[in-house]
C-alpha cells in the first residue's frame, strides 16, 4: 500500500518535494496551500502585458546537477549577469561586488586605498559592521553596505546582525570581468510564464488542496486538522515557518517582508546591457530595481520595472540574527522522525534560494528511499 505524505505549503520547496516523491513512486501525496495558486512569489503574473515575479527569482546555482535536473523539466536559458549599485555620495553607479576599477574612479580613492592597505583580519567578527569593515574598510562599507543593510533588515544598527554566511556577494573586491556570479550558473526559464509549468509538473500526481489552511497541528503524531477533520500521515514535509507548527511555543520567529511596486516605462529597454538588478545603497526607502525583460526576454516597445521596499508585509526574509536562528533550531530539533522542514522559511535561513529548495527536496527523498 502507498505511504502517505503531507506537504505543507505549495511554494517552490513544496512543489519540488511533491515532484521528488512522485519520481520515487509509492507515495500518496497531499499538498496543502493557503493561497489559491502554487509557486508563491516565484509564480509569474502579468502587468501591462509583461510577465513578472515577486522580485527577481532568477535561477542561480553552484550545482551542475541541480541545474541539469530543473532544465530537464523546464528548459532554462543561461544568463550573463552584472549587478550595479547606486551610491548617492558619489552620484555614481558602481558594480557589485565592489570592483577595483570603480574604486579608481572614486573622488576619495586615496582614502579608500589607505583603508584597504590598513585592513586587519579579525578572527571572529562579532557583528556585520565589523565583518564588512575588516574586509573593505570604513569608506566602502559606508558607500555600499551600511544603509543598504539597515533598510534590508529593518534594523537601526548593523551591529544587531551577528551572522555572515548569508552574505557571500561582496566581501571580496573584484578585478577583471564584472560578471556578478562567475562561479555559479545563472539562468532563467525560457517559457514566457517562467517557472509556472514546473509547479504543475511537480504536483501532477499529488492531491493539491489550494486555498486551504491547516487548523491544528499535532506534529509528534504527524496529524493535522483540516476542515474539522483529523488526518494522520506517514511523512510530513513542511515548508512554512516552524514556529507555526508548534503554536509559537518558543516565541514567534521574526521575518522581514516586502512591498513590490511595478511600473511600465515608455522605452524598449532601460538598464545597461547585462544589468538585471540595480541596488540602491543609500537612504532611499527601496533596496532594488529589477528590469524583468532582462530575465524573460519579453518583446515589447515598453519595459516593466519592479521596485522593492522592505516592510512588515509578509514572511519573506528570515532574519540573520543568531538568537532567532537558535530559536528556529529549537523548533526544528522537536521534529520527530519522518517530519522534515525544508525551504527558506522551513529552514529559517535567508540563504535558502530556489536551487536549495530543489536540493533539499532531493535530500528528503533520498532519506525516504
Ligand atoms: C523578493 C524575493 C526575491 C527573491 N529572488 C530570488 C532569486 O532571484 N533567486 C533565487 O534563487 N531565490 C530568490 N528568492 C528566494 C527564493 O525565491 C525562495 O527561497 C523560494 O522561492 C522559497 O520557496 P519556499 O517554498 O521555501 O517558500 P515560499 O515561497 O514562501 O512558499 C511557502 C508556501 O507556503 C504557503 N503557506 C504559508 N503558510 C501556510 C499555511 N499555514 N498553510 C498552508 N500553506 C501555507 C505560502 O502561501 C507559500 O505558497 C527571493 C525571495 C524573495 C522574497
Amino acid at each position: 500500500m502507498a505511504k502517505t505524505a503531507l506537504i505543507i505549503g505549495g511554494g517552490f520547496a513544496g512543489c519540488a518535494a511533491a515532484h521528488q516523491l512522485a519520481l520515487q513512486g509509492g507515495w500518496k501525496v497531499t499538498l496543502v496551500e493557503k493561497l489559491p495558486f502554487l509557486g508563491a512569489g516565484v509564480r509569474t503574473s502579468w502587468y501591462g502585458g509583461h510577465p513578472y515575479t515577486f522580485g527577481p527569482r532568477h535561477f542561480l546555482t553552484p550545482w551542475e546537477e541541480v541545474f541539469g535536473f530543473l532544465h530537464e523539466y523546464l528548459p532554462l536559458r543561461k544568463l550573463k549577469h552584472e549587478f550595479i549599485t547606486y551610491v548617492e555620495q558619489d552620484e555614481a553607479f558602481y558594480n557589485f561586488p565592489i570592483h577595483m576599477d570603480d574604486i579608481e574612479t572614486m573622488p576619495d580613492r586615496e582614502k579608500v586605498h589607505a583603508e584597504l592597505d590598513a585592513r586587519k583580519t579579525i578572527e571572529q567578527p562579532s557583528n556585520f559592521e565589523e565583518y564588512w569593515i575588516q574586509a573593505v574598510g570604513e569608506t566602502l562599507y559606508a558607500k555600499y553596505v551600511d544603509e543598504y543593510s539597515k533598510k534590508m533588515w529593518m534594523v537601526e544598527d548593523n551591529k544587531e546582525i551577528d551572522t555572515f554566511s548569508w552574505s557571500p556577494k561582496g566581501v571580496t573586491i573584484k578585478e577583471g570581468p564584472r560578471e556578478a556570479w562567475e562561479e555559479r550558473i545563472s539562468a532563467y526559464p525560457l517559457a514566457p510564464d517562467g517557472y509556472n509549468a514546473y509547479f504543475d509538473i511537480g504536483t501532477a500526481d499529488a492531491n493539491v488542496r489550494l486555498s486551504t489552511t491547516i487548523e491544528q497541528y499535532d506534529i509528534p503524531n504527524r496529524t493535522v486538522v483540516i476542515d474539522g477533520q483529523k488526518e494522520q500521515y506517514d511523512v510530513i514535509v513542511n515548508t512554512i515557518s516552524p514556529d507555526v507548527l508548534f503554536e509559537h511555543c518558543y516565541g514567534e520567529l521574526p521575518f522581514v517582508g516586502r512591498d513590490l511596486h511595478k511600473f511600465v516605462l515608455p522605452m524598449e529597454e532601460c538598464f545597461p546591457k547585462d544589468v538585471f538588478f540595480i541596488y540602491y545603497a543609500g537612504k532611499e526607502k527601496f533596496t532594488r530595481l529589477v528590469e524583468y525583460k532582462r530575465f524573460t526576454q519579453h518583446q515589447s516597445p515598453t519595459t516593466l520595472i519592479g521596485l522593492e521596499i522592505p516592510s512588515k508585509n509578509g514572511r519573506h526574509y528570515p532574519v540573520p540574527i543568531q538568537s532567532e536562528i537558535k530559536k528556529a533550531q529549537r523548533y526544528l530539533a522537536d521534529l520527530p522522525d519522518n517530519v522534515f522542514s525544508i525551504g527558506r522559511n522551513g529552514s529559517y535561513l535567508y540563504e535558502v534560494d530556489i536551487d536549495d529548495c530543489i536540493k533539499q527536496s532531493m535530500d528528503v527523498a533520498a532519506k525516504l528511499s
Side-chain angles (χ1 to χ4, degrees), residues 85-92 94 143 280-284:
T85 295
Y86 183 61
V87 174
E88 204 207 341
Q89 290 102 307
D90 293 4
E91 299 173 3
Y94 297 131
K143 287 187 192 202
Y280 282 77
K283 285 187 187 295
E284 58 285 292

Side-chain angles (χ1 to χ4, degrees), residues 2 61 63 83 89 107 135 145 163 192 237 265 274 323 327 340 367:
T61 188
W63 302 303
F83 295 129
Q89 290 102 307
V145 183
T163 66
V237 182
L265 293 179
D274 297 333
S323 54
K327 195 193 289 174
F340 303 89
K367 282 186 190 142

Side-chain angles (χ1 to χ4, degrees), residues 7-15 32-35 37-42 54-60 195 212-214 217 239-241 244 256 258 277 288 295 308 315-317 342-346 349-357 360:
I7 298 177
I8 305 173
F12 212 103
C15 294
V32 174
E33 165 56 52
K34 74 171 179 190
L35 296 174
F37 55 84
L38 295 170
V42 189
F54 191 99
R57 315 283 181 157
H58 76 295
F59 188 71
L60 191 63
Y195 299 89
T212 302
T213 307
I214 295 172
Y217 298 86
T239 70
I240 67 171
S241 181
V244 177
V256 173
R258 269 288 180 282
F277 312 159
R288 178 166 64 181
F295 295 107
E308 293 168 53
R315 298 187 107 189
H316 292 124
Y317 292 93
I342 63 168
R344 180 175 276 197
N345 291 8
L349 287 174
Y350 164 69
E351 55 265 37
V352 170
D353 274 338
I354 294 170
D355 63 326
D356 301 286
C357 291
Q360 289 179 329

Side-chain angles (χ1 to χ4, degrees), residues 20-21 24 27 340 359-369:
Q20 290 300 325
L21 295 182
Q24 192 169 84
W27 291 96
F340 303 89
K359 183 82 167 48
Q360 289 179 329
S361 65
M362 289 173 164
D363 293 345
V364 167
K367 282 186 190 142
L368 291 170
S369 65

Side-chain angles (χ1 to χ4, degrees), residues 170-191:
V171 285
T172 51
I173 298 182
K174 283 183 66 124
E175 296 186 62
R178 287 174 182 255
E179 243 178 280
W181 297 107
E182 283 167 81
E183 73 292 2
R184 295 191 191 195
I185 303 165
S186 173
Y188 200 78
L190 278 165

Side-chain angles (χ1 to χ4, degrees), residues 110-310:
E110 282 166 21
K111 187 171 170 223
V112 170
H113 276 300
E115 287 173 6
L116 290 176
D117 292 344
R119 280 176 295 181
K120 283 199 236 50
T121 305
I122 303 167
E123 285 298 311
Q124 276 187 317
S126 60
N127 61 62
F128 191 65
E129 183 175 295
E130 210 171 271
Y131 174 73
W132 266 91
I133 290 177
Q134 74 160 1
V136 302
E138 287 192 11
T139 304
L140 292 179
Y141 168 74
K143 287 187 192 202
Y144 289 83
V145 183
D146 187 25
E147 292 297 337
Y148 183 86
S149 160
K150 283 194 277 203
K151 66 185 164 186
M152 165 81 197
W153 296 113
M154 300 180 82
V155 294
E156 293 290 316
D157 189 329
N158 286 324
K159 294 193 188 72
E160 291 174 43
I161 300 169
D162 56 5
T163 66
F164 324 108
S165 58
W166 54 275
S167 176
K169 289 177 205 158
V171 285
T172 51
I173 298 182
K174 283 183 66 124
E175 296 186 62
R178 287 174 182 255
E179 243 178 280
W181 297 107
E182 283 167 81
E183 73 292 2
R184 295 191 191 195
I185 303 165
S186 173
Y188 200 78
L190 278 165
D193 60 353
Y195 299 89
N196 291 6
Y198 183 70
F199 306 131
D200 295 333
I201 293 168
T203 59
D205 292 347
N207 169 23
V208 176
R209 289 152 80 170
L210 298 174
S211 306
T212 302
T213 307
I214 295 172
E215 286 140 30
Q216 277 175 41
Y217 298 86
D218 174 2
I219 293 298
N221 292 309
R222 298 190 302 276
T223 300
V224 293
V225 176
I226 305 174
D227 293 333
Q229 300 292 314
K230 268 192 184 180
E231 300 180 12
Q232 193 180 33
Y233 291 86
D234 297 322
V235 166
I236 295 180
V237 182
N238 170 59
T239 70
I240 67 171
S241 181
D243 54 350
V244 177
L245 308 184
F246 294 100
E247 293 182 347
H248 309 104
C249 64
Y250 302 130
E252 194 165 334
L253 290 167
F255 288 82
V256 173
R258 269 288 180 282
D259 294 334
L260 177 73
H261 298 267
K262 309 175 293 293
F263 46 94
V264 176
L265 293 179
M267 52 182 48
E268 205 169 330
E269 289 184 62
C270 176
F271 289 5
K273 187 173 170 293
D274 297 333
V275 171
F276 291 56
F277 312 159
I278 305 181
Y279 289 107
Y280 282 77
K283 285 187 187 295
E284 58 285 292
K285 284 193 166 28
F286 49 96
T287 46
R288 178 166 64 181
L289 301 189
V290 177
E291 185 170 18
Y292 287 103
K293 260 186 181 182
R294 289 282 182 255
F295 295 107
T296 61
Q297 312 263 304
H298 178 67
Q299 300 295 310
S300 163
T302 62
T303 193
L304 176 68
I305 306 294
L307 176 151
E308 293 168 53
I309 302 182

